[in-house]
């Protein structure tokens, strides 16, 4: 943009080229007309050269109320800026005081004048040709330096266990003072819940100890404003022994007295509620807000809970409070009604701003307080009652409104809010100015945009009144009806959904001046990613390949491709130990590990038009990590719940858990291998297990996903179960007799894990089957078989075997039938006959007797009758029943 030769001249100088013809044509070619600013203040751009114009005064230092003890203390600051330089004057008690000054209005006491003559109410005024600013009225109190007429010396006597108050009455002052209790060596008296300094400066003893006897308790008053310390009172305290030292004393309050206190305070002040008890043992103090609790407020407990302190009290703290002093022999309470009102304070303040002629100005003055403050307005230090009426001026409850402002309306307006607790005052500058128009944006800027994109071309201007901005295009085509075009209030033109036909030169000018700039718009084909990275799953340790194929406008020579992992650029060079970018912009990620699982984006930058991006992901899959944090819970006599925390699934959901057990019976000490106990679905993380008695267990868990099995988890610590009776008896109970007159009973020996306790053995029962009523024969053995002699030949017996250990016997067994040993049959069958029919012989016989065993069958012998060579006897190959 061309620069003007003088601040108040237009942008175009004598050597500037003539404006395009379009600027001289009818308004048909105007893009848009910037409306006149009707509301709001002027905001000066940072790069606008503001002329050295006049301005009303602005106060930079103001006085506050204070107490003076000497001439050196009396300094009332009053400083201000403005152009021309302000002139200062003071009023005291409503009358002019002192001389007018220039440059500085700070007032200091003259030593030749009596200090007392400066007591009163003061206000400072700073004025120049454009207005007057004034300070709030402040009060100056004059006091002599505090001094002691005579130091008090007291002697007090009391008995152990009693309470006592050591009083301190230093000279009063309008400024706060601090009270300290010390000894003559200037060592502070140690405070505790038993001994403490109250808000009134007295020293309180809830109960006395013999050690409290001292010759000198010194009360010292520190006047911080007067820079003075006075030792007011010296007390000699004698504590006498008593026989009823151990007698209890229920609590009472040393301070405050009575049962209720009314506390009235102002918002923002520091307030302390105090309860100092007496009693033996030393009472403790509790605080409560009725229908609430002090912990919900901005209150703090201090001095061993004797104080409830508010740093900056607010209306929310208004209410009822109760303190309660308690010891083991009773309690006492005191209530406080806290009423919080407020001196006026600002809730909204108007700022000093510039305005252009013709605007409507609203000066806000919103104040709060309790009672509600009254708002009054002044102009240049004079109340509106003393100023001529102006129909353009309107006063509301919280604002002053002035319509159609003029240069002559430049002034300082004062807003004052007042209630019975005080007042506050605000100076507001109303500054009405005229500034020559100027275009602040650069000339000849080239703007680039993708086809279909949005673009803003800037023409920031400034002036007072606000300049009217127009935009036109070189082909003299009106853009008013184009819905894609809009003009922002700051002069910027915005074009959406740009096309190739929008390329060209645009001109921005200030109406009724020869000030203008041009802007060049270039529209490019949009960059498009034709094949971007995909979402891939890769086994841990493998390689992943992500592609990035794109198209760009051939006119865009300056471009860059960057790969990012979760938004962070991977590498600047094309090769790396981990990553490789090939010439076609494909990215290889080698030896993928779990931390390579992420979103990967291919960003194509075409400066200065921005970038396009496509995103894919790499998901690294692997067999799961082993479960961790195994623990046992719900431990019962013979059951337990196993809990675990699943390890990482490595992006392949865990489908199941294998719970493995290492079981070691406490009998036999035979080491067992890990065995799979149960398969649990992958969304479980616990399992209840039924355990055998008298065994030691360890557990571990293996996680399984579609990729494979995890390593086993760390096993649990050993868990041993209690002994119990056997839960079952041996199976396979049978007779295995081979010799006559002998009964051998045998069975399948039980596993160690089923024995359930120490001293395991078997109880064997037998009796002859034909003698059901006969008592059982019983014996105990360690292991099978068991032999019984003199049992007869193939005699049937009822037999049963029961498991037994040191705890007891197993369930009642069921009996089986067994036999003693067999012997050969004593006689052959009788009544043998045969009948020959054709080629068939039918042989019959009587059933054999005295077989002495289980009859397996009969052996038949035959002999052919005929020639001698065929007369050999032979038996049939099969037994026949």
């Amino acid at each position: 943009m061309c620069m003007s030769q003088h601040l108040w001249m237009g942008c175009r100088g004598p050597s500037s080229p003539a404006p395009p013809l379009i600027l001289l044509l009818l308004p048909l070619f105007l893009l848009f007309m910037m409306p006149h600013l009707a509301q709001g203040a002027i905001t000066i751009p940072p790069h606008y050269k503001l002329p050295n114009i006049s301005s009303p005064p602005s106060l930079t230092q103001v006085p506050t109320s204070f107490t003076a003890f000497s001439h050196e203390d009396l300094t009332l600051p009053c400083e201000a800026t403005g152009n021309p330089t302000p002139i200062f004057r003071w009023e005291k008690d409503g009358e002019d005081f002192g001389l007018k000054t220039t440059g500085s209005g700070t007032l200091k006491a003259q030593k030749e004048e009596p200090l007392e003559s400066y007591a009163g109410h003061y206000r400072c005024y700073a004025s120049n040709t454009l207005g007057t600013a004034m300070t709030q009225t402040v009060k100056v109190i004059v006091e002599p330096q505090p001094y002691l007429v005579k130091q008090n010396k007291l002697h007090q006597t009391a008995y152990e266990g009693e309470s006592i108050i050591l009083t301190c009455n230093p000279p009063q002052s309008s400024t706060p003072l601090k009270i300290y209790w010390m000894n003559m060596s200037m060592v502070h008296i140690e405070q505790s819940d038993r001994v403490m300094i109250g808000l009134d400066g007295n020293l309180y003893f809830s109960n006395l100890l013999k050690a409290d006897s001292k010759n000198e308790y010194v009360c010292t008053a520190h006047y911080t404003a007067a820079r003075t310390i006075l030792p007011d009172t010296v007390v000699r305290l004698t504590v006498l022994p008593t026989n009823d030292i151990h007698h209890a004393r229920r609590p009472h309050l040393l301070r405050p007295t009575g049962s209720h206190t009314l506390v009235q305070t102002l918002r923002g002040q520091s307030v302390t509620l105090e309860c100092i008890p007496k009693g033996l043992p030393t009472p403790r103090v509790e605080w409560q807000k009725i229908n609430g609790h002090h912990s919900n407020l901005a209150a703090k407990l201090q001095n061993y809970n004797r104080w409830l302190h508010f740093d900056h009290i607010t209306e929310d703290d208004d209410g009822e409070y109760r303190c309660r002093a308690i010891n083991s022999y009773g309690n006492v309470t005191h209530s406080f009604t806290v009423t919080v009102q407020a001196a006026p304070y600002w809730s909204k303040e108007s700022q000093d701003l510039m305005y252009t002629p013709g605007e409507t100005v609203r000066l806000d003055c919103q104040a709060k307080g309790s009672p509600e403050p009254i708002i009054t307005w002044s102009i240049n230090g004079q109340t509106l009652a003393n100023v001529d009426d102006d129909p353009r001026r309107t006063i509301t409850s919280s604002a002053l409104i002035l319509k159609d402002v003029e240069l002559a309306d430049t002034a300082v307006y004062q807003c004052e809010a007042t209630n019975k607790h005080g007042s506050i005052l605000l100076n507001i500058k109303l500054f009405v100015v005229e500034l020559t128009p100027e275009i602040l944006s650069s000339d000849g800027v080239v703007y680039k945009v993708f086809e279909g994109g949005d673009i803003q071309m800037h023409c920031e201007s400034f002036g007072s009144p606000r300049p009217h901005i127009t935009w036109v295009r070189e082909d003299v085509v009106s853009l008013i009806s184009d819905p894609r075009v809009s003009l922002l209030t700051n002069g910027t033109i915005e074009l959406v959904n740009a096309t190739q036909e929008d390329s060209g030169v645009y001109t921005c000018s200030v109406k009724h001046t020869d000030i203008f700039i041009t802007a060049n718009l270039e529209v490019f084909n949009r960059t498009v990613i034709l094949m971007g990275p995909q979402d891939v799953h890769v086994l841990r340790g493998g390689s992943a390949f992500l592609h990035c194929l794109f198209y760009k406008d051939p006119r865009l020579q300056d471009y860059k491709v960057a790969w990012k992992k979760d938004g962070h650029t991977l590498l600047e060079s094309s090769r790396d130990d981990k990553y490789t970018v090939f010439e076609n912009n494909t990215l290889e990620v080698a030896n993928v590990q779990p931390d390579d699982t992420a979103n990967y984006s291919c960003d194509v930058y075409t400066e200065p038009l921005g970038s396009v991006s496509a995103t894919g992901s790499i998901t690294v899959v692997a067999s799961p990590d082993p479960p961790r944090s195994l623990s046992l819970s719900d431990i019962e006599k013979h059951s337990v719940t196993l809990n675990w925390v699943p390890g990482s699934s490595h992006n392949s959901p865990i489908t199941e858990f294998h719970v493995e057990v290492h079981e070691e019976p406490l009998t036999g000490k035979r080491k067992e291998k890990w065995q799979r106990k149960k398969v649990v679905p992958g969304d479980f993380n616990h399992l209840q297990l039924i355990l055998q008695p008298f065994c030691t267990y360890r557990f571990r868990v293996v996680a399984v996903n579609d990729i494979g099995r995890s390593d086993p988890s760390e096993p649990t610590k050993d868990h041993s179960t209690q002994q119990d009776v056997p839960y079952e008896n041996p199976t396979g109970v049978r007779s295995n007799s081979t010799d006559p007159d002998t009964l051998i009973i045998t069975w399948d020996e039980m596993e160690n894990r089923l024995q359930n306790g120490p001293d395991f053995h078997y109880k064997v029962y037998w009796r002859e089957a034909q003698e059901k009523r006969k008592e059982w024969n019983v014996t105990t053995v360690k292991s099978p078989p068991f032999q019984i002699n003199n049992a007869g030949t193939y005699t049937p017996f009822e037999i049963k075997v029961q498991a037994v250990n040191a705890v007891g016997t197993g369930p009642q067994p069921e009996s089986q039938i067994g036999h003693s040993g067999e012997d050969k049959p004593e006689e052959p069958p009788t009544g043998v006959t045969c009948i020959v029919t054709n080629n068939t012989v039918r042989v019959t016989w009587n059933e054999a007797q005295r077989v002495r065993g289980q009859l397996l069958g009969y052996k038949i012998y035959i002999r052919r009758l005929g020639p001698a060579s065929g007369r050999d006897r032979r038996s049939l190959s099969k037994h026949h029943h």
Side-chain angles (χ1 to χ4, degrees), residues 636-638 666 691-695 719-725 727 756-757 807:
E636 303 290 344
K637 186 176 180 181
H638 297 129
L666 295 179
L691 310 178
Q692 281 295 125
F694 206 54
C695 291
H719 172 73
S720 297
T721 54
Q722 302 176 20
Q723 56 192 14
D724 203 350
V725 298
Y727 292 163
N756 292 4
V807 181

Side-chain angles (χ1 to χ4, degrees), residues 265-271 310-315 340-342:
T265 185
L266 293 180
R267 177 182 186 269
Q269 290 187 346
S270 174
V271 176
F310 299 83
D311 278 333
H312 300 282
I313 200 163
T314 68
E315 291 87 344
V340 182
Q341 292 191 339

Side-chain angles (χ1 to χ4, degrees), residues 15 27 53 87 99 138 149 156 161 234 271 284 296 298 447 454 460 462 522 557 607 658 661 680 789 793 822 830 869:
S15 61
I53 58 178
I87 297 173
L99 300 176
V138 297
V149 177
Q156 291 188 239
V234 179
V271 176
R284 72 179 189 277
N296 299 327
Y447 295 92
D454 303 338
E460 183 183 359
F462 183 74
E522 297 180 10
Q557 300 300 320
E607 298 297 343
H658 295 173
V661 62
V680 180
N789 297 319
T793 301
E822 298 178 310
T830 61
S869 60

Side-chain angles (χ1 to χ4, degrees), residues 796-807:
F797 285 85
E798 281 187 275
I799 59 175
K800 58 184 180 181
V801 180
Q802 188 176 31
V804 183
N805 63 18
V807 181

Side-chain angles (χ1 to χ4, degrees), residues 196 272 287 300-311:
M196 68 170 290
T272 302
W287 289 89
K300 299 176 183 177
L301 292 173
Q302 295 180 345
N303 276 20
Y304 309 96
N305 287 13
R306 271 54 178 162
W307 290 357
L308 183 66
H309 179 73
F310 299 83
D311 278 333

